[in-house]
Amino acid sequence: MLTKVIKAANTRYLPGKVMFSPDWLVLGVNNICNLHCKMCDVGVDFNQSNFFNNLVGTRPLNMPLELLQKVMDQAARHFPQVKLGYAFTEPLIYPKLVESLKYADALGLYTSITTNALTLKRQAPGLIEGGLNDIFISLDGPPEIHNEIRGHKSSFSRAMDGIDALLASEKRPDISIYCVVTEWNIGHLVEFVEIFKDLPLKQIGFMHTNYTPQQVADDHNLLYGSKYPATASNMEEINLDRMDLDVLYEEMQELKSRDFPFSIVFSPSVETREQLHVFYHHPEVLFGRRCNDIFRNIMIKSNGSVIPAHGRCYNLTIGNLYEESLPELWNSKVIAKFRQDLNKAGGLLPACARCCSAF
């Protein structure tokens, strides 16, 4: 409790000098994905967004193992409690994945992977051998709906085969499933959860769509475009007017009232129909009070460059691991100024309104 109070005081009153360790180091170990998701700028090849360029805008295509080991060595030395999150773009196709997991495990570091699970069955033995702690599997609804959203006719069945391969081992990582709420899967969320009702999952999480309309980006750039330029994001194929919010709300209430052997969470936690309407139809209204991740995470790209928080943040390079150490990057001048500017703005900038870091 005392630690929490000290951290809160530090972030509020001295944001330019964070005196505690990061919670996560987000690892952008590659710049390629093997699916084409409709709600993702990378999946639809919208190369004008910050999100796209944070995920696939660097070279080399794959992070050199030597660089990743450098991250891990410094993490173990300076931030031994930090968690390593293999998150972007599709970690399971990173050629050095298992080797790097074993390296992290030998150092006593916690590891997690966020994946579409297309190749999970093949990779499952190596993940278990590598000591993976957590795996977050991204699925978008019942089989036909998921396959349509992902642009792959067998992506759901292959993910399920991978989950089965993990469940067959007593040494498996904790397994959670996350689903992005979109116009295509509303009305099928309860059916989706029931598919997993007999599986020993840790959690099923529903993420309300993260998006930035062009008008929000334009309004943001009038105030902050010279420092932190924003772009439209995740809007190319999504039509928010086609989302049946009444049906979505009823499904949310049913899922919250049911008992499952795993937890069900929604992010953000919307309590009323009115809040749901504001979230999807008034993107200029800030949802959340402050950015949580700017004081918890940094993301390391395949070329060693580092950005704040993770791939949804502004394309703001705060340094490079080839030139600076992790402690130096964690409190670099660039990120310190960004944290100060966020605090001065009240905790969020206009284009942060629908970013998951605010919830």
Side-chain angles (χ1 to χ4, degrees):
M1 182 64 180
L2 179 60
T3 300
K4 187 176 180 179
V5 170
I6 293 173
K7 284 185 176 182
N10 183 183
T11 58
R12 184 171 297 275
Y13 300 110
L14 194 62
K17 178 66 174 179
V18 175
M19 300 178 186
F20 50 87
S21 302
D23 292 339
W24 287 91
L25 298 178
V26 181
L27 305 175
V29 293
N30 60 13
N31 288 292
I32 189 170
C33 189
N34 50 5
L35 289 179
H36 301 281
C37 309
K38 290 184 177 183
M39 68 290 191
C40 173
D41 288 338
V42 175
V44 301
D45 198 32
F46 179 61
N47 61 9
Q48 302 302 307
S49 75
N50 284 341
F51 183 59
F52 181 98
N53 286 291
N54 281 338
L55 268 59
V56 299
T58 58
R59 293 294 180 268
L61 186 69
N62 295 297
M63 182 182 288
L65 181 60
E66 296 77 12
L67 174 60
L68 188 48
Q69 290 174 335
K70 183 176 183 179
V71 172
M72 294 172 175
D73 287 338
Q74 292 193 19
R77 186 180 310 122
H78 300 291
F79 308 131
Q81 301 304 312
V82 76
K83 298 179 179 181
L84 305 180
Y86 294 72
F88 302 116
T89 301
E90 175 43 52
L92 290 194
I93 58 176
Y94 175 55
K96 301 296 184 180
L97 178 60
V98 174
E99 189 174 352
S100 65
L101 284 172
K102 291 179 180 178
Y103 194 87
D105 189 50
L107 291 171
L109 294 170
Y110 174 104
T111 53
S112 78
I113 287 176
T114 301
T115 175
N116 61 39
L118 189 66
T119 62
L120 179 56
K121 181 179 180 180
R122 184 173 74 246
Q123 294 282 23
L127 303 184
I128 294 167
E129 184 183 359
L132 181 68
N133 298 99
D134 261 318
I135 187 165
F136 306 104
I137 297 172
S138 179
L139 298 173
D140 296 315
E144 290 186 3
I145 292 171
H146 170 84
N147 293 342
E148 174 63 24
I149 292 172
R150 295 296 174 114
H152 192 294
K153 64 182 181 181
S154 62
S155 57
F156 190 92
S157 63
R158 289 177 62 171
M160 291 300 294
D161 289 343
I163 292 172
D164 288 341
L166 289 178
L167 291 175
S169 172
E170 294 182 358
K171 297 181 179 180
R172 63 180 178 265
D174 288 333
I175 303 171
S176 298
I177 290 173
Y178 281 83
C179 175
V180 177
V181 177
T182 64
E183 64 201 75
W184 305 288
N185 58 26
I186 290 174
H188 303 276
L189 303 184
V190 175
E191 175 190 355
F192 173 66
V193 172
E194 287 179 340
I195 293 171
F196 307 96
K197 64 182 179 180
D198 297 321
L199 298 184
L201 304 179
K202 181 180 179 180
Q203 184 177 83
I204 292 184
F206 291 94
M207 299 288 297
H208 289 291
T209 297
N210 294 165
Y211 67 99
T212 306
Q214 187 62 55
Q215 186 59 57
V216 169
D218 290 343
D219 291 344
H220 168 102
N221 288 334
L222 288 175
L223 299 172
Y224 297 101
S226 61
K227 288 185 177 180
Y228 313 115
T231 65
S233 183
N234 298 335
M235 293 295 297
E236 288 301 286
E237 294 198 20
I238 287 176
N239 186 337
L240 299 175
D241 292 331
R242 289 201 292 259
M243 300 184 75
D244 192 329
L245 300 185
D246 289 331
V247 171
L248 173 57
Y249 183 76
E250 294 303 320
E251 286 200 292
M252 291 167 58
Q253 296 307 109
E254 180 174 352
L255 287 170
K256 290 176 182 179
S257 70
R258 296 269 299 273
D259 288 325
F260 292 99
F262 40 77
S263 62
I264 301 282
V265 297
F266 283 84
S267 181
S269 180
V270 177
E271 301 299 330
T272 67
R273 280 186 173 87
E274 291 72 23
Q275 287 180 327
L276 202 60
H277 177 78
V278 170
F279 185 90
Y280 284 106
H281 294 302
H282 290 281
E284 74 283 359
V285 177
L286 294 177
F287 223 89
R289 296 183 177 180
R290 60 189 299 109
C291 177
N292 298 306
D293 287 339
I294 188 64
F295 293 100
R296 299 191 306 202
N297 311 343
I298 51 175
M299 176 176 166
I300 304 163
K301 298 186 185 184
S302 65
N303 64 353
S305 62
V306 179
I307 63 172
H310 54 71
R312 295 196 185 279
C313 201
Y314 303 96
N315 197 350
L316 180 70
T317 300
I318 63 176
N320 193 292
L321 198 64
Y322 283 118
E323 301 168 357
E324 300 155 279
S325 68
L326 277 177
E328 289 171 330
L329 292 164
W330 180 234
N331 271 304
S332 75
K333 291 181 179 179
V334 176
I335 198 170
K337 185 66 168 66
F338 185 37
R339 289 167 176 154
Q340 290 169 334
D341 288 344
L342 274 171
N343 273 18
K344 288 177 183 178
L348 295 169
L349 303 183
C352 303
R354 296 297 177 268
C355 176
C356 55
S357 292
F359 313 141

